[in-house]
Amino acid sequence: MDTDRITPVVLCGGSGTRLWPRSRAAAPKPFLQLVGDRTLFEGTLARCGDEAGFAPPVVVTGRAHLGLVEAQLPESGAKDAECRIVVEPEGRNTAAAIALAALLLPEDAIMLVCPSDHHIADTQAFRETAFRAAALAREGWLVAFGIEPDRPETGYGYIRRGEAIEGPGEGFRVERFVEKPDLARAQAFLAEGGYSWNGGIFAFRAGTYLDELARHRPAIAAEVRGAVAGGHGEGRAFHPDAAAFARIVPESVDYAVMENTDRAAMVPAAMGWSDIGTWYAVREARERDASGNAARGPADLLDCRNVLVDSDGPRVSVVGLSDIIVVVDGGEVLVTSAAGAASVGKLKGPSGG
């Protein structure tokens, strides 16, 4: 394997209940065309194409979504033939998922960990940031993308930027990671400056990550090694040993490694990023008319502002409303205010997620 290139490690799964009724357990958010004409998973792979200097990807997913992953991989070619799919027996959060991929790569491979369900509007800026992060990763840093904030967001964790790191990469030490704040703290972060959103995108050497995981979470590191040692391959898919993997205590890469290591760094990233976590975020990411409206499927909007309609069939007519979201999927209908979109995942109806 060419370790000079960056290996995308695409984390692919989840249920996306906040995007019900379109996103469900059987077809979650990564595999839906929510922005543009690609699914979010397809968009993630396209950003990390070999023409831009990336190595074949490693996709980490669950058994339930293996068919969806295989169906949405690009048309067969030399690069895709080398793609690896790691099939988790069950979800054990991101620290273990990333370790699975790391153990299947050379120690010197530079991993670019990418969630598969994000939207990035500026592909070139993403790639430039990735190569800056990779330069730092080669020096032994564990690098987070620090998303430039444009509003006092309470739904994301934050990164407090520390001193500049001399040398390649144009990065900074991480002074600290900050939990999701309340509105007052988020407003203070924005006013003070020096804070970025933690978008869950990371770069590091495979060996460096495994060393830090073993240092801070030795039990997770040992069980993942056991799961890989007892695993087996089927074509381009790799199946870890289920019994060993089941013993892993679930923990995110943030808690297990990034908040504990003394080698945490960040690179600023201004690339039109959105986690597409709610229907409000979908509305903001889509093209809208002069009144801020966006419609997909048959819709009539009269005297409306900032209305999103997404229908897979029935015509939706909206008159004289603002900041409303209407989604129709089969026999399910969602109507919410934009402000209420973050609470969709709390619905007790037949969400399927």
Side-chain angles (χ1 to χ4, degrees):
M1 176 176 288
D2 180 4
T3 56
D4 289 336
R5 292 191 293 166
I6 301 171
T7 299
V9 174
V10 181
L11 307 181
C12 201
S15 57
T17 54
R18 288 182 297 168
L19 290 174
W20 180 83
R22 187 75 72 229
S23 178
R24 310 193 190 201
K29 181 171 65 160
F31 306 106
L32 303 178
Q33 292 181 357
L34 293 171
V35 182
D37 57 2
R38 289 178 172 139
T39 69
L40 297 175
F41 174 59
E42 290 170 335
T44 302
L45 294 178
R47 283 192 293 275
C48 302
D50 57 354
E51 78 284 352
F54 292 89
V58 178
V59 179
V60 184
T61 192
R63 289 173 178 168
H65 302 140
L66 176 59
L68 291 168
V69 167
E70 291 179 326
Q72 293 191 9
L73 286 173
E75 292 298 320
S76 60
K79 176 175 184 287
D80 305 304
E82 299 175 38
C83 170
R84 299 293 300 275
I85 305 173
V86 183
V87 185
E88 292 183 292
E90 55 189 293
R92 281 295 180 260
N93 216 320
T94 53
I98 295 166
L100 287 174
L103 285 166
L104 297 178
L105 293 169
E107 286 190 357
D108 287 337
I110 302 299
M111 306 170 64
L112 179 67
V113 177
C114 300
S116 62
D117 57 355
H118 293 178
H119 171 67
I120 294 173
D122 190 337
T123 295
Q124 185 58 34
F126 164 80
R127 291 171 174 171
E128 291 171 357
T129 305
F131 282 96
R132 293 202 311 273
L136 287 169
R138 291 189 179 95
E139 300 295 318
W141 295 96
L142 291 90
V143 190
F145 279 37
I147 311 298
E148 299 274 352
D150 58 11
R151 62 186 184 276
E153 175 62 54
T154 61
Y156 306 144
Y158 284 70
I159 300 169
R160 171 62 175 165
R161 187 173 65 210
E163 63 185 18
I165 297 172
E166 295 184 5
E170 303 175 23
F172 301 85
R173 285 182 175 271
V174 171
E175 183 174 308
R176 68 180 182 276
F177 290 89
V178 184
E179 296 294 321
K180 296 176 182 178
D182 59 22
L183 181 59
R185 289 190 73 207
Q187 290 171 333
F189 291 165
L190 208 63
E192 180 180 341
Y195 287 88
S196 302
W197 294 333
N198 180 4
I201 306 173
F202 303 99
F204 25 70
R205 285 178 63 257
T208 303
Y209 176 74
L210 292 171
D211 288 345
E212 290 298 291
L213 182 65
R215 178 183 171 194
H216 300 291
R217 294 293 188 271
I220 294 178
E223 295 293 0
V224 175
R225 284 189 180 276
V228 170
H232 66 280
E234 294 179 7
R236 60 183 170 189
F238 178 81
H239 298 263
D241 178 72
F245 203 71
R247 291 193 291 267
I248 295 170
V249 176
E251 196 166 12
S252 72
V253 63
D254 304 82
Y255 288 135
V257 175
M258 296 303 295
E259 294 186 8
N260 295 302
T261 181
D262 56 5
R263 300 292 293 171
M266 60 84 68
V267 287
M271 53 191 187
W273 172 88
S274 171
D275 72 342
I276 308 295
T278 66
W279 282 111
Y280 172 85
V282 172
R283 187 194 73 182
E284 295 301 292
R286 286 186 182 174
E287 292 186 10
R288 294 182 282 164
D289 64 19
S291 297
N293 301 315
R296 180 177 290 183
D300 286 328
L301 303 181
L302 178 63
D303 296 330
C304 291
R305 296 186 62 83
N306 301 322
V307 169
L308 170 69
V309 172
D310 190 304
S311 175
D312 68 352
R315 176 173 298 278
V316 175
S317 300
V318 185
V319 180
L321 296 179
S322 299
D323 293 304
I324 293 296
I325 293 164
V326 182
V327 182
V328 182
D329 186 277
E332 304 283 3
V333 179
L334 168 72
V335 181
T336 178
S337 66
S343 298
V344 169
K346 300 177 182 178
L347 288 170
K348 296 180 180 179
S351 68

